[in-house]
Amino acid sequence: MASGFGFPILSPAEIAEQLFQYGIAPVANLRPENIASPQPDLLPGVLARFFNSFVDAPGDGEDGLLGFSDLEVLDNPEHHMEAIRVLRLYNKSQAFLDSIQFKDFTLADFTRPTPRRVVEVLSALINFLFYREEKVTLLQPIVSETPDYHERTLELKARMAQLQKEIADHELAEQMEEPMAQQLEADVNALQQKVQVYNKQQLALRAKAAVINDKKEEIHRKITQADFELTKHAQENSRLMSKLVKSPEKVQRALEEKKSARAKLKESEKIAMQNDQEKSAALEIRNKAHEKLTKQHSKIQDVHEQLVAAKTVEKEVKARKAKLNDESVSVMSFDAQIVDWQGKVHEMEERLKGKVKERNQIIADENQKLGALSSEIEGKLQCLEPREKKVEATIAKASNLCSEAASARTAATAEQQKIRAKFNNIVKAVVQHLHG
C-alpha cells in the first residue's frame, strides 16, 4: 500500500503537537503514546474535526439523517445510524486523500489502522495543512490590497436586493391597480362617448337656438311692424272718426274691418308670445345641459390626471430598472477584477512551482555531492581490513535475524490478509444488507 504522494513522515510527538495547534485533536489529553498505539476511533475523530474546520462550508456538514430511499430499504433504520455515519465519513476521507495523491486508503485503515498507517495518514494531513497555510500566507498581500471588496460587494448585493424588492413592490402595486386602471379606462371611454353624444346634442341645441333666435327676431320685426300699422290705423281711425258724421254707415263698416284686423293682429301677437315662451324654455334646457357637460368634463379631467400619475409611476419604475442595470454592470466590473486577481494568483503559483523546481535541483546537487562523499567513505572503509571479519560476522547474524523476521512478517501478513478478507466480507455483507 505505497503512497503516491511524497511528504516527510512526522514523529508521534510532532503529530500530537500539530493536531493541538490546528485544533483537530479528538481528545484534550492526546499524547504521542496514543498515536504510537492508536485506538479505532482516533482517525475518524481527527478526520471529522478536520472536515468541520477546514473543508466543509458552514451548513454543509452531514446532519446524519437518512434519505427516503434508505428508509425504504432498511427494516430498522435506527439500528444502522452509526454504521451509515462511519461509511459517509470514510467515503469523504477517501475522496479527500485521493485528491492530495494519498492512495490506497482502505476501510481497514479507517476502522482498524496499524500504527504505521496512522502516522502516514496524519503526516499527510498535517503536511497538507502546512501547504495550505503557506499558500494563504502568499495570497495574503494580494487580498490585503482590496480590503473593502467584500464590504462593497455586500453593499451592492444589499442595494440590488433593495431595488429588486422595490421593483417587485411596484410591479405588485401595478398588478393590484391594473383592474382599477382598466375600470378607469373603460369609464373614460364611456365618458368620452357620452361627451361626443353631448357635443352632438349641444350642436343640435345650438342649431335649434339659432333657428329660435331667427324666429324671435322675425316675430319682433312683425310686432314692430304691427305696432307701426296699429299707429297708422289709429291715425286713420281718428281721421275716420272725424268723418263719421259725414258717412256713418261707411265709417261703421270701416270700423268693423279695423276691429277684425286688430283681433287678427292680437291673435298673431298671442301666438308670437307663446312661441317666445317655448324658445325661452328650450334655451333654459340648453343651459342645464351645458352645466351637466361642464361637470362631466371636470370628472374627465380628474381621470386624466390619475392616468398621468400612473404613467409617471411607470416611468419611475423604468428609471429604477435602468439604475439596477447600471449597478449590475458595476458588479460585472468587480467580477472582471476578481478574474484579474485570479490570474495574478495563478502567476504566483507558477512562480512558486519554479521555486520548487529550483529547490529540487539544489537537493539533487546535494545528493550528488553526498554520493561522492559516500564513495569516498567507502574507499576509506575498504582500508579497514582488520574490522572486515567482525563486520561479516555481524552481517551474517543480521541476515539470520532478517530471515527470521521475514518469515514472521510473512506469517503475520498471511494472517492479516485472512482477517482483512473476513472483514471485507463482513463489510460487503453489511453494504448488501443496507442496499437491499
Side-chain angles (χ1 to χ4, degrees):
M1 293 183 293
S3 173
F5 176 63
F7 56 87
I9 300 297
L10 303 178
S11 63
E14 292 175 340
I15 292 173
E17 180 182 358
Q18 294 301 326
L19 290 179
F20 277 115
Q21 183 176 356
Y22 285 106
I24 56 176
V27 292
N29 56 352
L30 182 67
R31 294 177 300 194
E33 292 80 7
N34 300 128
I35 298 173
S37 299
Q39 295 296 322
D41 59 348
L42 177 62
L43 272 182
V46 173
L47 289 169
R49 287 176 174 268
F50 170 76
F51 287 125
N52 291 332
S53 300
F54 297 101
V55 178
D56 291 335
D60 292 341
E62 295 289 344
D63 55 2
L65 299 178
L66 297 179
F68 290 106
S69 60
D70 297 331
L71 293 175
E72 291 177 357
V73 171
L74 300 176
D75 294 333
N76 297 310
E78 63 276 5
H79 296 167
H80 305 281
M81 294 293 292
E82 184 64 23
I84 292 173
R85 187 189 67 81
V86 171
L87 284 176
R88 285 178 176 174
L89 183 59
Y90 165 70
N91 292 329
K92 186 187 292 186
S93 303
Q94 186 182 30
F96 174 75
L97 292 173
D98 287 340
S99 68
I100 62 172
Q101 304 301 318
F102 186 89
K103 305 294 183 181
D104 299 332
F105 183 72
T106 62
L107 188 59
D109 295 333
F110 185 73
T111 55
R112 299 286 181 180
T114 61
R116 181 178 63 84
R117 292 296 286 175
V118 169
V119 171
E120 288 180 357
V121 173
L122 294 180
S123 297
L125 208 62
I126 292 171
N127 277 279
F128 170 76
L129 292 176
F130 287 162
Y131 174 77
R132 178 181 179 276
E133 186 175 0
E134 181 181 358
K135 286 290 186 182
V136 171
T137 305
L138 288 174
L139 295 176
Q140 189 62 36
I142 299 174
V143 176
S144 63
E145 291 181 3
T146 56
D148 57 345
Y149 167 71
H150 293 290
E151 297 177 359
R152 179 60 178 166
T153 303
L154 293 175
E155 291 177 359
L156 290 174
K157 288 182 178 179
R159 180 60 178 166
M160 288 174 63
Q162 182 181 359
L163 291 175
Q164 289 176 354
K165 183 178 181 298
E166 292 179 0
I167 290 173
D169 293 340
H170 281 296
E171 291 178 351
L172 180 60
E174 185 178 357
Q175 291 177 359
M176 292 178 66
E177 293 176 357
E178 186 176 359
M180 186 184 300
Q182 292 177 353
Q183 183 65 33
L184 288 175
E185 187 175 0
D187 294 340
V188 168
N189 293 330
L191 290 175
Q192 287 178 353
Q193 293 177 358
K194 288 183 179 180
V195 166
Q196 292 177 359
V197 173
Y198 288 150
N199 288 333
K200 292 179 180 179
Q201 292 178 358
Q202 187 177 9
L203 291 175
L205 290 174
R206 285 180 180 177
K208 289 181 180 180
V211 173
I212 291 171
N213 289 328
D214 293 339
K215 290 182 178 181
K216 186 177 180 181
E217 290 177 357
E218 181 68 21
I219 291 170
H220 282 297
R221 188 180 63 79
K222 289 180 179 181
I223 291 172
T224 304
Q225 184 67 26
D227 290 336
F228 175 74
E229 291 180 355
L230 182 63
T231 304
K232 185 178 179 181
H233 286 300
Q235 292 176 357
E236 186 178 358
N237 189 18
S238 61
R239 186 177 60 83
L240 290 174
M241 285 296 292
S242 62
K243 293 179 179 182
L244 183 63
V245 180
K246 297 179 180 180
S247 57
E249 295 179 358
K250 192 176 181 179
V251 171
Q252 187 68 29
R253 189 171 55 249
L255 183 61
E256 289 178 358
E257 291 177 359
K258 297 294 182 180
K259 285 182 179 180
S260 63
R262 185 179 294 177
K264 291 180 180 180
L265 184 62
K266 286 182 178 181
E267 185 68 22
S268 65
E269 185 179 357
K270 185 178 179 181
I271 293 171
M273 290 297 293
Q274 290 178 356
N275 290 330
D276 187 35
Q277 290 177 359
E278 290 178 359
K279 301 302 180 183
S280 299
L283 184 61
E284 185 178 358
I285 292 171
R286 184 179 67 83
N287 292 329
K288 290 182 179 180
H290 181 70
E291 290 178 359
K292 289 183 179 180
L293 288 174
T294 304
K295 292 181 180 179
Q296 294 293 334
H297 183 68
S298 63
K299 290 182 180 179
I300 291 170
Q301 286 181 347
D302 294 336
V303 173
H304 182 68
E305 290 177 358
Q306 291 179 0
L307 289 177
V308 171
K311 289 181 180 179
T312 304
V313 171
E314 185 177 359
K315 289 181 180 178
E316 185 178 356
V317 171
K318 290 181 179 179
R320 289 182 180 273
K321 286 183 178 179
K323 189 175 181 181
L324 180 62
N325 292 329
D326 295 337
E327 292 189 356
S328 300
V329 171
S330 63
V331 171
M332 291 175 66
S333 65
F334 278 112
D335 292 336
Q337 291 182 3
I338 291 172
V339 173
D340 189 13
W341 286 119
Q342 288 177 352
K344 291 182 180 180
V345 170
H346 183 68
E347 184 180 356
M348 293 296 291
E349 290 180 351
E350 293 296 331
R351 291 181 182 177
L352 180 63
K353 289 180 181 179
K355 294 291 184 181
V356 171
K357 289 181 180 179
E358 184 178 354
R359 185 192 64 181
N360 293 332
Q361 184 63 34
I362 294 172
I363 292 173
D365 295 338
E366 293 296 330
N367 289 332
Q368 187 176 1
K369 292 179 181 179
L370 183 62
L373 183 61
S374 298
S375 62
E376 184 179 356
I377 292 172
E378 287 178 359
K380 291 181 179 180
L381 288 175
Q382 289 177 0
C383 298
L384 301 176
E385 292 179 357
R387 296 184 181 180
E388 185 176 357
K389 293 181 180 180
K390 186 177 180 181
V391 172
E392 289 179 355
T394 304
I395 290 173
K397 185 176 180 181
S399 298
N400 293 329
L401 291 174
C402 288
S403 62
E404 292 176 0
S407 61
R409 187 181 295 109
T410 303
T413 302
E415 185 67 24
Q416 186 179 6
Q417 289 178 352
K418 291 180 181 180
I419 295 172
R420 187 172 299 161
K422 291 181 180 179
F423 184 77
N424 290 331
N425 292 330
I426 294 171
V427 171
K428 288 180 180 178
V430 170
V431 172
Q432 291 178 356
H433 179 70
L434 290 177
H435 292 83

